[in-house]
Amino acid sequence: MDNPGFRPSLLTDQYELTMVQAALASGAAQRRCVFEVFARRLPDGRRYGVVAGTGRLLEQLREFRFGDEELADLERRAVVDAPTLEWLAGYRFTGDITGYGEGECYLPGSPVMTVEGTFAEAVMLETFVLSVLNHDSAIAAAASRMTTAANGRPCLEMGLRRTHEEAGVAAARAAYVAGFAGSSVLAAGARYGIPTIGTAAHAFTLLHDSELEAFRAQVASLGVGTTLLVDTYDVTTGVEHAIEAAGTELGAVRLDSGDLLEQAQAVRIQLDKLGATQTRIVVTSDLDEFAIAALAAAPVDSYGVGTQLVTGSGAPTAGMVYKLVAREGADGTMVPVAKKSTAKASVGGRKWALRRRNAEGVADQELLGLGTRPEGAEYRRLQRVLVRGGEIVDTSTPADARALHELSRAELPVTARQLSRGEAAIPTVMTR
Amino acid sequence: MDNPGFRPSLLTDQYELTMVQAALASGAAQRRCVFEVFARRLPDGRRYGVVAGTGRLLEQLREFRFGDEELADLERRAVVDAPTLEWLAGYRFTGDITGYGEGECYLPGSPVMTVEGTFAEAVMLETFVLSVLNHDSAIAAAASRMTTAANGRPCLEMGLRRTHEEAGVAAARAAYVAGFAGSSVLAAGARYGIPTIGTAAHAFTLLHDSELEAFRAQVASLGVGTTLLVDTYDVTTGVEHAIEAAGTELGAVRLDSGDLLEQAQAVRIQLDKLGATQTRIVVTSDLDEFAIAALAAAPVDSYGVGTQLVTGSGAPTAGMVYKLVAREGADGTMVPVAKKSTAKASVGGRKWALRRRNAEGVADQELLGLGTRPEGAEYRRLQRVLVRGGEIVDTSTPADARALHELSRAELPVTARQLSRGEAAIPTVMTR
């Protein structure tokens, strides 16, 4: 089996462990530290990002331990020395994590997660935290643009085959957070309770001696409410066969190729003429947010999205980083720290984050600060406690995250929902 | 835990199971079928693709079964009917799989994998096979361009934090197949024996009261052979501190920001002046194949590649499809089948595949056919038996795949190794 019982702790870059080794030896391992997760910029003209993966991260945090199997491997391959192995054997994260709620929109510099603990215990989580958040947030950001473009018509996630098999499950979950109605992925239903969908592929039609025979077999087994794929041979004949096999109560027909706008219009007219006025039209051919928007005027009832969803529609990673912003000094007080090198400089110190809304309730500023946090109805707090003293206290579900995303997106100015390339929807303002 | 003991069988699109249900009811489920996996085109001006993931796929195929947990979930969510659940309970793949060896280069239309069995048993594998091959092949194709650009200098994979946590492990493996020297990912070492590397991040320097103190701590624990990251504050001072802490036997310095070409030249001169003539220079800032090529004249000893590797350097999925090409007819003979719809038409029938070489041993044609396969020294057979009667017979390791890739890439014409956008390196010719 591919994953032979390893815990998530080895889903980690080696340098986290070698840093722990050197810091244990130098004595610095026990210094209190604050790490912040943020994106320096949004990808490629995007207006906002979407935090996703938090729930998946917290679930796996419980298992982020080193058991006999992991320790034996690290010892065999001489990755770290004996004192470090001993420390790893007792490792569990005992610090605090705060962060933006899953589903929340974020802007450049937003401290989407803050991890506090000793250096050793907090640095251990760096790679894993970034993997989960960078992947899931990239998918959710693309999905959010797609559900915006679909303007209320259901979007269905079907991209598992175009990404790593486990990434596909996480993508289905992230898409759901950003408003997708369901997914083709069985494991997304099993693990996260996400509605799953799917009926048949071209192979099912080709398997039978005729299209009509295939449709009859499908309807006999799956009922007239099923979706028949009508473009294996000729779409017009396919629609005729579909209604012949299922009657006018047929649930839906699916189009997976060709000019979808033109075809959807022709198929709608044909279905209506045949009396199948309630039969829906599902389209599924290499859609992205732009193709979805272009079909706004077409009589399409839902969109199946695959490749472009699971690859983040041109932005497959969110590019978040995990940076040390404060650490305990020799005298026991916390010292803000930041890298000075060109282009990648960051601001030291632990930041609070508020979203300021104007009198109409529209967000106009992402306000970050180091000092006193202002109060007032115009400010919405963005950070919440996720883990306290190593105990997971946030138990938000994917449905909770979906609700938060809807609220958060609706609060952004209307420019946020434009698909064209542009600036971040609201400015990030750093107060000192 | 994120993956609560589910087998890979639920890493599948729902429609595979509903097709099985309808085909069991119609009686067509038992028809012999041949499915082929191929890419209709290469992404984005690429000259060749690289098959990767085969070994990972075969390992997991053994576990592609439905246990009590999966069956209970499918029953609870009413995904399929009772006869289908019963069939799934007894499912294991008993057919044959042939394919290109892992590491082999492929061209548009190359039948990289051929799955034969009953419709039901073979269609069940569609989504899973595509997930593994599409992801791993996309990474390997990008990695192959990077190792070509590096022209013998070691490339190191460091991208886990920029992709899904399990995808990152698979990416490390695929990069190794395509010639990378090692990876930062601990699980890639533990599972696949891939060499792992990594020493320290900026946080380690910031944790200590001074850079010099941090370097001394790292050298004390990890030895003078370690790699010191010298760009947290000022590179010139960083190099001074590095040699002060480690002496002239220091293993390497790492540069992670700024103009790498200019910096590498300055750092090389500085190291040589300090007497550290054997200290290597590692560069790691958002590299892709083009940036690597641009550093050919710089005194760089190895390249650490992250984001662009794990996202396929602009082509995050290989776009392979799994198509029914032949199936048993009502009279028991095999019938070639193919979809007719616009733009996505494919050629029916099971194909053999040969790579033709000219007198100099340079590949000049990807020859595919349905009839008699030509023999002769100019033809190299590309397909091998991977699974026979459900038993896995190919036991190639990642090291074997790496060797095959090196051979296969070297055999392609020199245009294949150009980074610029262009046509496929050799034409795919279909004979009837």
Side-chain angles (χ1 to χ4, degrees), chain A residues 319-349:
Chain A
M320 292 177 190
V321 293
Y322 186 100
K323 291 294 165 192
L324 183 66
V325 294
R327 51 103 179 140
E328 195 176 352
D331 63 354
T333 61
M334 292 301 280
V335 185
V337 295
K339 199 178 137 181
K340 294 289 189 303
S341 61
T342 342
K344 287 187 179 174
S346 47
V347 180

PDB file of all heavy atoms in Angstrom, chain A residues 319-349:
ATOM      1  N   GLY A 319       0.724  30.014  -2.461  1.00  0.00           N
ATOM      2  CA  GLY A 319       1.976  30.731  -2.197  1.00  0.00           C
ATOM      3  C   GLY A 319       2.107  31.297  -0.789  1.00  0.00           C
ATOM      4  O   GLY A 319       2.834  32.265  -0.567  1.00  0.00           O
ATOM      5  N   MET A 320       1.412  30.695   0.175  1.00  0.00           N
ATOM      6  CA  MET A 320       1.556  31.170   1.556  1.00  0.00           C
ATOM      7  C   MET A 320       2.910  30.753   2.124  1.00  0.00           C
ATOM      8  O   MET A 320       3.463  29.726   1.745  1.00  0.00           O
ATOM      9  CB  MET A 320       0.455  30.601   2.444  1.00  0.00           C
ATOM     10  CG  MET A 320      -0.919  31.141   2.109  1.00  0.00           C
ATOM     11  SD  MET A 320      -2.152  30.326   3.165  1.00  0.00           S
ATOM     12  CE  MET A 320      -3.670  30.900   2.390  1.00  0.00           C
ATOM     13  N   VAL A 321       3.419  31.554   3.053  1.00  0.00           N
ATOM     14  CA  VAL A 321       4.674  31.259   3.731  1.00  0.00           C
ATOM     15  C   VAL A 321       4.417  31.216   5.243  1.00  0.00           C
ATOM     16  O   VAL A 321       3.376  31.679   5.720  1.00  0.00           O
ATOM     17  CB  VAL A 321       5.756  32.299   3.378  1.00  0.00           C
ATOM     18  CG1 VAL A 321       6.146  32.203   1.904  1.00  0.00           C
ATOM     19  CG2 VAL A 321       5.278  33.715   3.708  1.00  0.00           C
ATOM     20  N   TYR A 322       5.360  30.643   5.973  1.00  0.00           N
ATOM     21  CA  TYR A 322       5.230  30.406   7.424  1.00  0.00           C
ATOM     22  C   TYR A 322       6.457  31.065   8.028  1.00  0.00           C
ATOM     23  O   TYR A 322       7.569  30.540   7.926  1.00  0.00           O
ATOM     24  CB  TYR A 322       5.234  28.905   7.634  1.00  0.00           C
ATOM     25  CG  TYR A 322       4.986  28.336   9.022  1.00  0.00           C
ATOM     26  CD1 TYR A 322       3.724  27.846   9.364  1.00  0.00           C
ATOM     27  CD2 TYR A 322       6.018  28.173   9.941  1.00  0.00           C
ATOM     28  CE1 TYR A 322       3.493  27.228  10.592  1.00  0.00           C
ATOM     29  CE2 TYR A 322       5.792  27.572  11.180  1.00  0.00           C
ATOM     30  CZ  TYR A 322       4.523  27.101  11.495  1.00  0.00           C
ATOM     31  OH  TYR A 322       4.287  26.473  12.713  1.00  0.00           O
ATOM     32  N   LYS A 323       6.282  32.261   8.565  1.00  0.00           N
ATOM     33  CA  LYS A 323       7.451  33.055   8.944  1.00  0.00           C
ATOM     34  C   LYS A 323       7.505  33.342  10.437  1.00  0.00           C
ATOM     35  O   LYS A 323       6.491  33.696  11.054  1.00  0.00           O
ATOM     36  CB  LYS A 323       7.422  34.381   8.191  1.00  0.00           C
ATOM     37  CG  LYS A 323       7.664  34.225   6.695  1.00  0.00           C
ATOM     38  CD  LYS A 323       9.096  33.738   6.404  1.00  0.00           C
ATOM     39  CE  LYS A 323       9.231  33.223   4.977  1.00  0.00           C
ATOM     40  NZ  LYS A 323      10.501  32.503   4.766  1.00  0.00           N
ATOM     41  N   LEU A 324       8.694  33.212  10.991  1.00  0.00           N
ATOM     42  CA  LEU A 324       8.940  33.593  12.374  1.00  0.00           C
ATOM     43  C   LEU A 324       8.820  35.109  12.476  1.00  0.00           C
ATOM     44  O   LEU A 324       9.546  35.832  11.787  1.00  0.00           O
ATOM     45  CB  LEU A 324      10.348  33.146  12.781  1.00  0.00           C
ATOM     46  CG  LEU A 324      10.749  33.409  14.238  1.00  0.00           C
ATOM     47  CD1 LEU A 324       9.896  32.567  15.190  1.00  0.00           C
ATOM     48  CD2 LEU A 324      12.234  33.073  14.457  1.00  0.00           C
ATOM     49  N   VAL A 325       7.900  35.602  13.312  1.00  0.00           N
ATOM     50  CA  VAL A 325       7.722  37.057  13.440  1.00  0.00           C
ATOM     51  C   VAL A 325       8.102  37.570  14.830  1.00  0.00           C
ATOM     52  O   VAL A 325       8.305  38.767  15.016  1.00  0.00           O
ATOM     53  CB  VAL A 325       6.279  37.503  13.092  1.00  0.00           C
ATOM     54  CG1 VAL A 325       5.982  37.246  11.613  1.00  0.00           C
ATOM     55  CG2 VAL A 325       5.246  36.830  13.995  1.00  0.00           C
ATOM     56  N   ALA A 326       8.186  36.670  15.809  1.00  0.00           N
ATOM     57  CA  ALA A 326       8.622  37.080  17.146  1.00  0.00           C
ATOM     58  C   ALA A 326       9.170  35.864  17.867  1.00  0.00           C
ATOM     59  O   ALA A 326       8.740  34.740  17.632  1.00  0.00           O
ATOM     60  CB  ALA A 326       7.462  37.685  17.934  1.00  0.00           C
ATOM     61  N   ARG A 327      10.154  36.126  18.737  1.00  0.00           N
ATOM     62  CA  ARG A 327      10.692  35.032  19.548  1.00  0.00           C
ATOM     63  C   ARG A 327      11.219  35.615  20.852  1.00  0.00           C
ATOM     64  O   ARG A 327      11.517  36.798  20.957  1.00  0.00           O
ATOM     65  CB  ARG A 327      11.771  34.263  18.800  1.00  0.00           C
ATOM     66  CG  ARG A 327      12.882  35.102  18.180  1.00  0.00           C
ATOM     67  CD  ARG A 327      14.146  35.050  18.958  1.00  0.00           C
ATOM     68  NE  ARG A 327      15.178  35.840  18.313  1.00  0.00           N
ATOM     69  CZ  ARG A 327      16.036  36.608  18.988  1.00  0.00           C
ATOM     70  NH1 ARG A 327      15.956  36.721  20.299  1.00  0.00           N
ATOM     71  NH2 ARG A 327      16.976  37.279  18.352  1.00  0.00           N
ATOM     72  N   GLU A 328      11.304  34.720  21.812  1.00  0.00           N
ATOM     73  CA  GLU A 328      11.777  35.077  23.136  1.00  0.00           C
ATOM     74  C   GLU A 328      13.263  35.453  23.045  1.00  0.00           C
ATOM     75  O   GLU A 328      14.037  34.754  22.388  1.00  0.00           O
ATOM     76  CB  GLU A 328      11.616  33.845  24.030  1.00  0.00           C
ATOM     77  CG  GLU A 328      11.713  34.090  25.492  1.00  0.00           C
ATOM     78  CD  GLU A 328      11.439  32.793  26.286  1.00  0.00           C
ATOM     79  OE1 GLU A 328      11.028  31.773  25.678  1.00  0.00           O
ATOM     80  OE2 GLU A 328      11.647  32.813  27.504  1.00  0.00           O
ATOM     81  N   GLY A 329      13.631  36.563  23.676  1.00  0.00           N
ATOM     82  CA  GLY A 329      15.037  36.936  23.724  1.00  0.00           C
ATOM     83  C   GLY A 329      15.729  36.304  24.917  1.00  0.00           C
ATOM     84  O   GLY A 329      15.105  35.604  25.717  1.00  0.00           O
ATOM     85  N   ALA A 330      17.022  36.588  25.021  1.00  0.00           N
ATOM     86  CA  ALA A 330      17.810  36.027  26.114  1.00  0.00           C
ATOM     87  C   ALA A 330      17.253  36.438  27.479  1.00  0.00           C
ATOM     88  O   ALA A 330      17.370  35.708  28.458  1.00  0.00           O
ATOM     89  CB  ALA A 330      19.269  36.468  25.980  1.00  0.00           C
ATOM     90  N   ASP A 331      16.594  37.616  27.540  1.00  0.00           N
ATOM     91  CA  ASP A 331      16.055  38.106  28.816  1.00  0.00           C
ATOM     92  C   ASP A 331      14.604  37.658  29.056  1.00  0.00           C
ATOM     93  O   ASP A 331      13.960  38.118  29.998  1.00  0.00           O
ATOM     94  CB  ASP A 331      16.137  39.641  28.861  1.00  0.00           C
ATOM     95  CG  ASP A 331      15.271  40.282  27.769  1.00  0.00           C
ATOM     96  OD1 ASP A 331      14.714  39.530  26.924  1.00  0.00           O
ATOM     97  OD2 ASP A 331      15.167  41.520  27.764  1.00  0.00           O
ATOM     98  N   GLY A 332      14.081  36.808  28.194  1.00  0.00           N
ATOM     99  CA  GLY A 332      12.740  36.285  28.413  1.00  0.00           C
ATOM    100  C   GLY A 332      11.618  37.109  27.807  1.00  0.00           C
ATOM    101  O   GLY A 332      10.476  36.662  27.782  1.00  0.00           O
ATOM    102  N   THR A 333      11.913  38.313  27.280  1.00  0.00           N
ATOM    103  CA  THR A 333      10.852  39.099  26.633  1.00  0.00           C
ATOM    104  C   THR A 333      10.753  38.716  25.161  1.00  0.00           C
ATOM    105  O   THR A 333      11.692  38.204  24.573  1.00  0.00           O
ATOM    106  CB  THR A 333      11.146  40.617  26.715  1.00  0.00           C
ATOM    107  OG1 THR A 333      12.371  40.872  26.024  1.00  0.00           O
ATOM    108  CG2 THR A 333      11.274  41.064  28.161  1.00  0.00           C
ATOM    109  N   MET A 334       9.569  38.962  24.565  1.00  0.00           N
ATOM    110  CA  MET A 334       9.375  38.623  23.159  1.00  0.00           C
ATOM    111  C   MET A 334       9.953  39.735  22.273  1.00  0.00           C
ATOM    112  O   MET A 334       9.700  40.913  22.506  1.00  0.00           O
ATOM    113  CB  MET A 334       7.888  38.428  22.863  1.00  0.00           C
ATOM    114  CG  MET A 334       7.282  37.198  23.535  1.00  0.00           C
ATOM    115  SD  MET A 334       8.062  35.604  23.095  1.00  0.00           S
ATOM    116  CE  MET A 334       7.285  35.278  21.506  1.00  0.00           C
ATOM    117  N   VAL A 335      10.697  39.350  21.250  1.00  0.00           N
ATOM    118  CA  VAL A 335      11.357  40.274  20.332  1.00  0.00           C
ATOM    119  C   VAL A 335      10.783  40.065  18.932  1.00  0.00           C
ATOM    120  O   VAL A 335      10.790  38.943  18.443  1.00  0.00           O
ATOM    121  CB  VAL A 335      12.880  39.974  20.281  1.00  0.00           C
ATOM    122  CG1 VAL A 335      13.611  40.994  19.426  1.00  0.00           C
ATOM    123  CG2 VAL A 335      13.464  39.875  21.679  1.00  0.00           C
ATOM    124  N   PRO A 336      10.294  41.147  18.297  1.00  0.00           N
ATOM    125  CA  PRO A 336       9.852  40.973  16.906  1.00  0.00           C
ATOM    126  C   PRO A 336      11.065  40.724  16.020  1.00  0.00           C
ATOM    127  O   PRO A 336      12.103  41.358  16.216  1.00  0.00           O
ATOM    128  CB  PRO A 336       9.203  42.324  16.552  1.00  0.00           C
ATOM    129  CG  PRO A 336       9.264  43.164  17.771  1.00  0.00           C
ATOM    130  CD  PRO A 336      10.182  42.544  18.751  1.00  0.00           C
ATOM    131  N   VAL A 337      10.941  39.810  15.051  1.00  0.00           N
ATOM    132  CA  VAL A 337      12.050  39.538  14.140  1.00  0.00           C
ATOM    133  C   VAL A 337      11.529  39.498  12.710  1.00  0.00           C
ATOM    134  O   VAL A 337      10.357  39.221  12.471  1.00  0.00           O
ATOM    135  CB  VAL A 337      12.759  38.193  14.449  1.00  0.00           C
ATOM    136  CG1 VAL A 337      13.436  38.250  15.807  1.00  0.00           C
ATOM    137  CG2 VAL A 337      11.781  37.023  14.372  1.00  0.00           C
ATOM    138  N   ALA A 338      12.420  39.795  11.754  1.00  0.00           N
ATOM    139  CA  ALA A 338      12.055  39.724  10.345  1.00  0.00           C
ATOM    140  C   ALA A 338      13.304  39.639   9.507  1.00  0.00           C
ATOM    141  O   ALA A 338      14.339  40.215   9.834  1.00  0.00           O
ATOM    142  CB  ALA A 338      11.233  40.945   9.939  1.00  0.00           C
ATOM    143  N   LYS A 339      13.160  38.909   8.414  1.00  0.00           N
ATOM    144  CA  LYS A 339      14.213  38.752   7.433  1.00  0.00           C
ATOM    145  C   LYS A 339      14.421  40.078   6.712  1.00  0.00           C
ATOM    146  O   LYS A 339      13.470  40.805   6.461  1.00  0.00           O
ATOM    147  CB  LYS A 339      13.710  37.692   6.461  1.00  0.00           C
ATOM    148  CG  LYS A 339      14.723  37.038   5.628  1.00  0.00           C
ATOM    149  CD  LYS A 339      14.013  35.977   4.778  1.00  0.00           C
ATOM    150  CE  LYS A 339      14.562  36.044   3.381  1.00  0.00           C
ATOM    151  NZ  LYS A 339      13.932  35.072   2.492  1.00  0.00           N
ATOM    152  N   LYS A 340      15.672  40.365   6.351  1.00  0.00           N
ATOM    153  CA  LYS A 340      15.954  41.650   5.725  1.00  0.00           C
ATOM    154  C   LYS A 340      16.252  41.555   4.232  1.00  0.00           C
ATOM    155  O   LYS A 340      16.424  42.567   3.574  1.00  0.00           O
ATOM    156  CB  LYS A 340      17.184  42.293   6.396  1.00  0.00           C
ATOM    157  CG  LYS A 340      16.986  42.695   7.844  1.00  0.00           C
ATOM    158  CD  LYS A 340      16.072  43.905   7.991  1.00  0.00           C
ATOM    159  CE  LYS A 340      16.043  44.434   9.421  1.00  0.00           C
ATOM    160  NZ  LYS A 340      15.633  43.387  10.394  1.00  0.00           N
ATOM    161  N   SER A 341      16.385  40.344   3.699  1.00  0.00           N
ATOM    162  CA  SER A 341      16.890  40.228   2.330  1.00  0.00           C
ATOM    163  C   SER A 341      15.919  40.826   1.319  1.00  0.00           C
ATOM    164  O   SER A 341      14.721  40.913   1.543  1.00  0.00           O
ATOM    165  CB  SER A 341      17.193  38.773   2.008  1.00  0.00           C
ATOM    166  OG  SER A 341      16.035  38.008   2.108  1.00  0.00           O
ATOM    167  N   THR A 342      16.442  41.226   0.204  1.00  0.00           N
ATOM    168  CA  THR A 342      15.707  41.896  -0.872  1.00  0.00           C
ATOM    169  C   THR A 342      14.427  41.146  -1.240  1.00  0.00           C
ATOM    170  O   THR A 342      14.416  39.943  -1.311  1.00  0.00           O
ATOM    171  CB  THR A 342      16.568  41.923  -2.155  1.00  0.00           C
ATOM    172  OG1 THR A 342      17.919  41.682  -1.810  1.00  0.00           O
ATOM    173  CG2 THR A 342      16.374  43.219  -2.894  1.00  0.00           C
ATOM    174  N   ALA A 343      13.398  41.895  -1.515  1.00  0.00           N
ATOM    175  CA  ALA A 343      12.173  41.398  -2.150  1.00  0.00           C
ATOM    176  C   ALA A 343      11.337  40.484  -1.255  1.00  0.00           C
ATOM    177  O   ALA A 343      10.140  40.375  -1.420  1.00  0.00           O
ATOM    178  CB  ALA A 343      12.471  40.675  -3.454  1.00  0.00           C
ATOM    179  N   LYS A 344      11.962  39.816  -0.312  1.00  0.00           N
ATOM    180  CA  LYS A 344      11.201  38.909   0.512  1.00  0.00           C
ATOM    181  C   LYS A 344      11.103  39.402   1.956  1.00  0.00           C
ATOM    182  O   LYS A 344      10.793  38.639   2.852  1.00  0.00           O
ATOM    183  CB  LYS A 344      11.827  37.513   0.495  1.00  0.00           C
ATOM    184  CG  LYS A 344      11.619  36.775  -0.820  1.00  0.00           C
ATOM    185  CD  LYS A 344      12.115  35.352  -0.675  1.00  0.00           C
ATOM    186  CE  LYS A 344      11.899  34.554  -1.967  1.00  0.00           C
ATOM    187  NZ  LYS A 344      12.508  33.217  -1.853  1.00  0.00           N
ATOM    188  N   ALA A 345      11.379  40.669   2.202  1.00  0.00           N
ATOM    189  CA  ALA A 345      11.319  41.199   3.559  1.00  0.00           C
ATOM    190  C   ALA A 345       9.905  41.072   4.117  1.00  0.00           C
ATOM    191  O   ALA A 345       8.922  41.120   3.379  1.00  0.00           O
ATOM    192  CB  ALA A 345      11.766  42.653   3.573  1.00  0.00           C
ATOM    193  N   SER A 346       9.786  40.879   5.418  1.00  0.00           N
ATOM    194  CA  SER A 346       8.458  40.807   6.027  1.00  0.00           C
ATOM    195  C   SER A 346       8.450  41.656   7.299  1.00  0.00           C
ATOM    196  O   SER A 346       9.474  42.116   7.758  1.00  0.00           O
ATOM    197  CB  SER A 346       8.083  39.346   6.297  1.00  0.00           C
ATOM    198  OG  SER A 346       9.143  38.657   6.913  1.00  0.00           O
ATOM    199  N   VAL A 347       7.237  41.868   7.836  1.00  0.00           N
ATOM    200  CA  VAL A 347       7.082  42.722   9.003  1.00  0.00           C
ATOM    201  C   VAL A 347       7.090  41.852  10.262  1.00  0.00           C
ATOM    202  O   VAL A 347       6.318  40.906  10.365  1.00  0.00           O
ATOM    203  CB  VAL A 347       5.756  43.516   8.923  1.00  0.00           C
ATOM    204  CG1 VAL A 347       5.582  44.407  10.154  1.00  0.00           C
ATOM    205  CG2 VAL A 347       5.702  44.336   7.644  1.00  0.00           C
ATOM    206  N   GLY A 348       7.962  42.208  11.223  1.00  0.00           N
ATOM    207  CA  GLY A 348       8.046  41.434  12.452  1.00  0.00           C
ATOM    208  C   GLY A 348       6.878  41.714  13.394  1.00  0.00           C
ATOM    209  O   GLY A 348       6.171  42.718  13.253  1.00  0.00           O
ATOM    210  N   GLY A 349       6.698  40.846  14.374  1.00  0.00           N
ATOM    211  CA  GLY A 349       5.676  41.043  15.392  1.00  0.00           C
ATOM    212  C   GLY A 349       4.376  40.334  15.074  1.00  0.00           C
ATOM    213  O   GLY A 349       4.009  40.159  13.918  1.00  0.00           O
TER     214      GLY A 349
END
